[in-house]
Amino acid sequence: MGPRTAAGPSKQGKPVSMGRHGSRSDSYQDNSPVLSNPKSVLKKQVSPEELQRPGGKYIKRTFTIVGDAVGWGFVVRGSSPCHIQAVDPSGPAAAVGMKVCQFVVSVNGINVLETDYRTISHLILTGPRTVVMEVMEPVDC
């Protein structure tokens, strides 16, 4: 299916599919507007402070995602904080309830609120097959 990690576009402009251990495959091409849309899905940027404000508009969720043969089934974008840009509806992330527009708080216990998507991608690709992610989502989501 689609790029199943936080991989970006290749030099040819099509998505690059990255396996669990950073292997690269240019054989994948998907014209799906959801998976290859470079425009942010966020309606407004949120600060890390706003996400963590007690009694705020966001709630924390924790997902344990076991990667399959192609990855974990989501794309991370942005910086300070990063967000979920796309979720493969048939992938492992969708199966546990991950959604577009959630903000990434931690990956395998490491706080990533002040990092960019490349750092988060590296943590996921070089880590274990099972990824534990904390995200924040709007209360009214």
mmCIF file of all heavy atoms in Angstrom, residues 10 13 19 28-30 37 44 65 72 76-77 85 90 115 124 136:
data_model
loop_
_atom_site.group_PDB
_atom_site.id
_atom_site.type_symbol
_atom_site.label_atom_id
_atom_site.label_comp_id
_atom_site.label_asym_id
_atom_site.label_seq_id
_atom_site.Cartn_x
_atom_site.Cartn_y
_atom_site.Cartn_z
ATOM 1 N N SER A 10 10.604 10.849 -3.138
ATOM 2 C CA SER A 10 11.897 10.556 -3.732
ATOM 3 C C SER A 10 12.244 11.663 -4.726
ATOM 4 O O SER A 10 11.453 12.558 -4.973
ATOM 5 C CB SER A 10 11.844 9.208 -4.449
ATOM 6 O OG SER A 10 11.034 9.320 -5.601
ATOM 7 N N GLY A 13 9.737 12.413 -7.367
ATOM 8 C CA GLY A 13 8.490 13.017 -6.969
ATOM 9 C C GLY A 13 7.443 12.034 -6.481
ATOM 10 O O GLY A 13 6.364 12.405 -6.089
ATOM 11 N N GLY A 19 11.066 0.482 4.712
ATOM 12 C CA GLY A 19 10.800 -0.652 5.581
ATOM 13 C C GLY A 19 11.229 -0.348 7.005
ATOM 14 O O GLY A 19 11.754 0.716 7.309
ATOM 15 N N TYR A 28 7.249 1.434 -5.365
ATOM 16 C CA TYR A 28 5.893 1.807 -4.967
ATOM 17 C C TYR A 28 5.487 3.123 -5.606
ATOM 18 O O TYR A 28 6.223 4.080 -5.581
ATOM 19 C CB TYR A 28 5.806 1.929 -3.442
ATOM 20 C CG TYR A 28 4.563 2.638 -3.023
ATOM 21 C CD1 TYR A 28 3.350 1.972 -3.035
ATOM 22 C CD2 TYR A 28 4.583 3.975 -2.688
ATOM 23 C CE1 TYR A 28 2.195 2.632 -2.713
ATOM 24 C CE2 TYR A 28 3.427 4.636 -2.363
ATOM 25 C CZ TYR A 28 2.221 3.951 -2.378
ATOM 26 O OH TYR A 28 1.077 4.601 -2.064
ATOM 27 N N GLN A 29 4.316 3.163 -6.182
ATOM 28 C CA GLN A 29 3.762 4.436 -6.651
ATOM 29 C C GLN A 29 2.270 4.425 -6.380
ATOM 30 O O GLN A 29 1.558 3.537 -6.808
ATOM 31 C CB GLN A 29 4.020 4.659 -8.129
ATOM 32 C CG GLN A 29 3.514 6.015 -8.581
ATOM 33 C CD GLN A 29 4.001 6.385 -9.960
ATOM 34 O OE1 GLN A 29 4.738 5.658 -10.585
ATOM 35 N NE2 GLN A 29 3.578 7.519 -10.442
ATOM 36 N N ASP A 30 1.789 5.423 -5.635
ATOM 37 C CA ASP A 30 0.374 5.544 -5.275
ATOM 38 C C ASP A 30 -0.057 6.955 -5.605
ATOM 39 O O ASP A 30 0.552 7.910 -5.161
ATOM 40 C CB ASP A 30 0.214 5.272 -3.776
ATOM 41 C CG ASP A 30 -1.229 5.347 -3.308
ATOM 42 O OD1 ASP A 30 -2.127 5.609 -4.129
ATOM 43 O OD2 ASP A 30 -1.437 5.152 -2.103
ATOM 44 N N ASN A 37 -0.187 13.850 -0.545
ATOM 45 C CA ASN A 37 -0.496 15.269 -0.450
ATOM 46 C C ASN A 37 0.535 15.979 0.418
ATOM 47 O O ASN A 37 0.620 15.733 1.606
ATOM 48 C CB ASN A 37 -1.903 15.444 0.139
ATOM 49 C CG ASN A 37 -2.328 16.893 0.184
ATOM 50 O OD1 ASN A 37 -1.590 17.776 -0.240
ATOM 51 N ND2 ASN A 37 -3.512 17.124 0.689
ATOM 52 N N LYS A 44 -4.742 24.715 11.999
ATOM 53 C CA LYS A 44 -3.903 25.755 12.612
ATOM 54 C C LYS A 44 -2.759 25.091 13.350
ATOM 55 O O LYS A 44 -2.881 23.967 13.825
ATOM 56 C CB LYS A 44 -4.715 26.637 13.556
ATOM 57 C CG LYS A 44 -5.115 25.980 14.860
ATOM 58 C CD LYS A 44 -5.716 27.008 15.829
ATOM 59 C CE LYS A 44 -5.675 26.439 17.231
ATOM 60 N NZ LYS A 44 -5.246 27.361 18.226
ATOM 61 N N ILE A 65 1.960 0.139 18.299
ATOM 62 C CA ILE A 65 1.809 -0.218 16.884
ATOM 63 C C ILE A 65 2.891 -1.237 16.516
ATOM 64 O O ILE A 65 4.080 -0.949 16.635
ATOM 65 C CB ILE A 65 1.945 1.025 15.987
ATOM 66 C CG1 ILE A 65 0.994 2.123 16.466
ATOM 67 C CG2 ILE A 65 1.691 0.677 14.529
ATOM 68 C CD1 ILE A 65 1.339 3.502 15.949
ATOM 69 N N TRP A 72 4.590 0.859 9.478
ATOM 70 C CA TRP A 72 3.599 1.048 10.547
ATOM 71 C C TRP A 72 2.293 1.649 10.060
ATOM 72 O O TRP A 72 1.315 1.650 10.768
ATOM 73 C CB TRP A 72 4.216 1.906 11.652
ATOM 74 C CG TRP A 72 5.339 1.191 12.328
ATOM 75 C CD1 TRP A 72 5.252 0.410 13.439
ATOM 76 C CD2 TRP A 72 6.699 1.166 11.921
ATOM 77 N NE1 TRP A 72 6.489 -0.098 13.739
ATOM 78 C CE2 TRP A 72 7.400 0.349 12.831
ATOM 79 C CE3 TRP A 72 7.407 1.753 10.877
ATOM 80 C CZ2 TRP A 72 8.761 0.099 12.728
ATOM 81 C CZ3 TRP A 72 8.762 1.504 10.765
ATOM 82 C CH2 TRP A 72 9.420 0.691 11.692
ATOM 83 N N VAL A 76 4.390 11.083 9.366
ATOM 84 C CA VAL A 76 4.562 12.193 10.308
ATOM 85 C C VAL A 76 5.147 13.375 9.550
ATOM 86 O O VAL A 76 6.046 13.213 8.725
ATOM 87 C CB VAL A 76 5.524 11.780 11.459
ATOM 88 C CG1 VAL A 76 5.861 12.961 12.334
ATOM 89 C CG2 VAL A 76 4.927 10.671 12.290
ATOM 90 N N ARG A 77 4.653 14.575 9.856
ATOM 91 C CA ARG A 77 5.185 15.796 9.257
ATOM 92 C C ARG A 77 5.211 16.907 10.310
ATOM 93 O O ARG A 77 4.610 16.789 11.368
ATOM 94 C CB ARG A 77 4.320 16.251 8.069
ATOM 95 C CG ARG A 77 4.494 15.401 6.832
ATOM 96 C CD ARG A 77 5.891 15.593 6.242
ATOM 97 N NE ARG A 77 6.092 14.785 5.059
ATOM 98 C CZ ARG A 77 6.703 13.606 5.053
ATOM 99 N NH1 ARG A 77 7.145 13.078 6.161
ATOM 100 N NH2 ARG A 77 6.869 12.962 3.925
ATOM 101 N N GLN A 85 0.213 13.178 9.436
ATOM 102 C CA GLN A 85 -0.222 13.751 8.164
ATOM 103 C C GLN A 85 -1.128 12.790 7.402
ATOM 104 O O GLN A 85 -2.056 13.218 6.723
ATOM 105 C CB GLN A 85 1.004 14.101 7.312
ATOM 106 C CG GLN A 85 0.702 14.620 5.921
ATOM 107 C CD GLN A 85 0.126 16.021 5.893
ATOM 108 O OE1 GLN A 85 0.217 16.760 6.865
ATOM 109 N NE2 GLN A 85 -0.494 16.385 4.787
ATOM 110 N N SER A 90 -5.591 0.605 5.854
ATOM 111 C CA SER A 90 -5.439 -0.840 6.042
ATOM 112 C C SER A 90 -4.169 -1.193 6.818
ATOM 113 O O SER A 90 -3.805 -2.359 6.914
ATOM 114 C CB SER A 90 -5.435 -1.549 4.681
ATOM 115 O OG SER A 90 -4.328 -1.112 3.908
ATOM 116 N N THR A 115 10.884 18.388 18.479
ATOM 117 C CA THR A 115 11.715 17.909 17.376
ATOM 118 C C THR A 115 10.976 18.024 16.050
ATOM 119 O O THR A 115 9.804 18.373 16.007
ATOM 120 C CB THR A 115 12.145 16.439 17.598
ATOM 121 O OG1 THR A 115 10.978 15.627 17.603
ATOM 122 C CG2 THR A 115 12.886 16.256 18.894
ATOM 123 N N ILE A 124 11.813 5.989 14.768
ATOM 124 C CA ILE A 124 10.940 4.863 14.422
ATOM 125 C C ILE A 124 11.673 3.845 13.552
ATOM 126 O O ILE A 124 11.649 2.642 13.829
ATOM 127 C CB ILE A 124 9.664 5.373 13.723
ATOM 128 C CG1 ILE A 124 8.823 6.196 14.709
ATOM 129 C CG2 ILE A 124 8.845 4.207 13.160
ATOM 130 C CD1 ILE A 124 7.696 6.982 14.078
ATOM 131 N N MET A 136 -1.431 13.613 21.145
ATOM 132 C CA MET A 136 -2.478 14.486 21.685
ATOM 133 C C MET A 136 -3.474 14.729 20.555
ATOM 134 O O MET A 136 -3.074 14.944 19.411
ATOM 135 C CB MET A 136 -1.901 15.811 22.151
ATOM 136 C CG MET A 136 -0.888 15.706 23.281
ATOM 137 S SD MET A 136 -1.590 15.122 24.809
ATOM 138 C CE MET A 136 -2.192 16.655 25.492
#
